[in-house]
Amino acid sequence: MNRYALTAAALAALAAPGFAGSGTDAQVGVRPGFLVDHMPDGPLKDKLAACETGPFHRTDFSISHRGAPLQFPEHTVESLKAGLRQGAGILECDVTFTKDKQLVCRHAQNDLATTTNILATPLAANCTKPFAPASGDTPASAECRTSDVTLAEFETLRGKMDAGDKKATTLEAFMDATPSWRTDLYAAESGTLMTLPQYIAIVKAAGGKFTPELKEAVVPMPYDGMTQEQYAQKMIDAFKEAGVAPEDVYAQSFNLDDILYWVKNDPDFAKNAVYLDDSDETVKGFDPMKPETWEHSMADLKAMGVNIIAPPIWMLLTLENGKIVPSAYAKEAKAAGLRIITWSLERSGPLSLGGGYYYQSITPAVKSDGVMYEVVDVLAKDVGVIGIFSDWPATVTYYANCMGLD
């Protein structure tokens, strides 16, 4: 059975009455209860604990980030199904393209070496940079792009947990590098890669909504005659061809020009377009507490036609007397009338280590996993976010249901 047939079988399973993701019920499992147990005593803990027996249903406040990659290989059919089962109302496909310009779901155009088994297949010969073991101070490396393979070749690959050991001296060690706080349990018999049309079909069959992200190309654009604008249009056209209503699509990009292209050329789809803001990585001296360091004011973004902005969690939060509160960035965005989405919960591993990148503005307050729902509560009630991306959507689904959020 070829890869497309496997995906077709998965689509049939999704449409079957027995698939939990095809209804509105949600399975949240034991993790939310674990997080609540680790919270300090108080009204929020009491409120969340009282919701333990549910029932739980799908909610647009819960956004599936690459499926459910805390435990499933990202951007695979199995990961997407897990996100649906966990109650995510909106599900993501990071969109890039193959050698023959077909749109597929991958977080980056050049991540095949760490997210698939390509290095262990004959297609490794196609990779831009073959595997090189660690030697002295030089780390192990490999770069395999979706544009290194055709769609037919892409569909022969299997997804794996995203990891690559930079200290590895063998290919096997490089590939077998899943962090200890994740798992390979569900990777052993999963890993069905998806095209953009297949992702659309799965989510549509389950009655969900969509957040496709137009990924930056690592190859020079235009690529084989395809310009950046044609690439942006091609992604939107896939939803038109599938008969998806514009209001069910939250098209994303870190490239403001992509958003502005949609504003001009596809205004119906642009209404819910999401400008992903990574100014902390692109703007020298950026500080979410100092508006004078921002490339664009929130009012200017709104005037350009941006309606939804999506920064990482840490940019929306700060500490005042040890209490987690909204940042200046969050207040300015809300004042300008921008809707706010944020990313990504459940991506940091155990929070006893301080939370790393996603919690850097509130590190002194991050001492255990128990702080996670405190963060979500501030984001929901004080910042006013309309949705939260999570690598384990059940965590957000539980909170949204408990608090009566749609």
Side-chain angles (χ1 to χ4, degrees):
M1 183 179 290
N2 64 31
R3 177 61 54 189
Y4 182 81
L6 281 171
T7 303
L11 285 169
L14 277 161
F19 173 57
S22 62
T24 58
D25 291 341
Q27 304 171 15
V28 299
V30 299
R31 181 154 177 79
F34 168 84
L35 297 175
V36 172
D37 286 345
H38 284 75
M39 294 177 66
D41 292 337
L44 179 59
K45 180 176 182 177
D46 292 343
K47 170 70 172 175
L48 291 172
C51 299
E52 187 170 10
T53 58
F56 301 101
H57 62 270
R58 185 181 296 160
T59 166
D60 290 354
F61 190 77
S62 179
I63 306 175
S64 169
H65 184 238
R66 313 185 204 178
L70 181 64
Q71 294 193 9
F72 289 81
E74 64 183 51
H75 285 318
T76 60
V77 169
E78 294 80 8
S79 190
L80 192 66
K81 287 174 67 173
L84 284 163
R85 286 184 170 123
Q86 291 180 31
I90 304 173
L91 298 103
E92 182 185 45
C93 167
D94 291 320
V95 178
T96 187
F97 54 85
T98 59
K99 186 175 183 179
D100 46 353
K101 295 182 288 187
Q102 300 302 302
L103 301 186
V104 296
C105 300
R106 286 289 94 198
H107 175 63
Q109 190 175 39
N110 60 346
D111 73 1
L112 294 183
T114 59
T115 65
T116 76
N117 66 338
I118 189 170
L119 292 176
T121 76
L123 290 173
N126 293 32
C127 291
T128 296
K129 295 180 181 178
F131 170 71
S135 178
D137 294 331
T138 303
S141 64
E143 183 182 2
C144 304
R145 303 173 176 176
T146 56
S147 54
D148 289 336
V149 296
T150 64
L151 176 61
E153 291 169 333
F154 174 85
E155 290 180 326
T156 68
L157 301 175
R158 293 189 65 81
K160 74 176 190 68
M161 296 302 285
D162 183 14
D165 185 355
K166 294 183 179 181
K167 298 180 180 179
T169 57
T170 67
L171 175 59
E172 292 74 18
F174 180 80
M175 295 182 66
D176 186 18
T178 303
S180 60
W181 46 271
R182 287 190 171 142
T183 181
D184 286 312
L185 180 63
Y186 301 110
E189 296 187 16
S190 66
T192 309
L193 302 191
M194 296 182 296
T195 65
L196 175 62
Q198 288 163 355
Y199 149 83
I200 294 172
I202 290 171
V203 176
K204 185 178 180 181
K209 296 180 182 179
F210 312 81
T211 185
E213 179 185 335
L214 194 73
K215 300 302 295 190
E216 179 182 6
V218 297
V219 294
M221 298 293 281
Y223 173 78
D224 190 25
M226 181 173 68
T227 66
Q228 181 68 26
E229 292 77 14
Q230 289 171 330
Y231 175 34
Q233 189 63 55
K234 188 179 180 74
M235 187 182 85
I236 297 299
D237 286 347
F239 290 89
K240 293 180 178 179
E241 291 165 7
V244 176
E247 58 267 27
D248 290 339
V249 181
Y250 294 77
Q252 311 175 85
S253 181
F254 282 101
N255 182 351
L256 182 57
D257 287 341
D258 292 335
I259 306 297
L260 299 182
Y261 172 83
W262 293 324
V263 168
K264 179 180 179 180
N265 295 281
D266 261 304
D268 288 342
F269 281 88
K271 290 177 183 177
N272 280 343
V274 181
Y275 174 40
L276 298 161
D277 189 1
D278 62 348
S279 293
D280 58 321
E281 297 184 1
T282 60
V283 179
K284 186 177 181 179
F286 172 83
D287 185 334
M289 295 301 293
K290 298 178 179 179
E292 66 272 18
T293 68
W294 307 347
E295 184 175 12
H296 303 286
S297 73
M298 298 300 173
D300 285 346
L301 289 174
K302 182 67 175 176
M304 292 178 196
V306 175
N307 292 317
I308 306 176
I309 195 166
I313 290 170
W314 76 269
M315 285 167 55
L316 295 171
L317 304 174
T318 191
L319 291 176
E320 287 184 3
N321 300 318
K323 182 180 179 181
I324 303 171
V325 298
S327 67
Y329 181 107
K331 294 176 182 177
E332 290 284 332
K334 188 174 183 179
L338 293 171
R339 290 177 285 165
I340 308 169
I341 290 171
T342 193
W343 44 276
S344 296
L345 206 69
E346 295 280 28
R347 193 154 184 84
S348 302
L351 298 189
S352 57
L353 302 177
Y357 173 80
Y358 293 100
Y359 297 85
Q360 60 185 281
S361 59
I362 58 168
T363 299
V366 182
K367 298 177 181 178
S368 79
D369 284 343
V371 78
M372 200 174 301
Y373 276 133
E374 294 180 55
V375 167
V376 171
D377 196 55
V378 173
L379 289 170
K381 294 180 178 178
D382 300 327
V383 174
V385 301
I386 63 170
I388 299 176
F389 279 97
S390 179
D391 279 23
W392 200 245
T395 299
V396 179
T397 299
Y398 184 99
Y399 176 89
N401 275 257
C402 193
M403 298 299 177
L405 303 177
D406 291 332

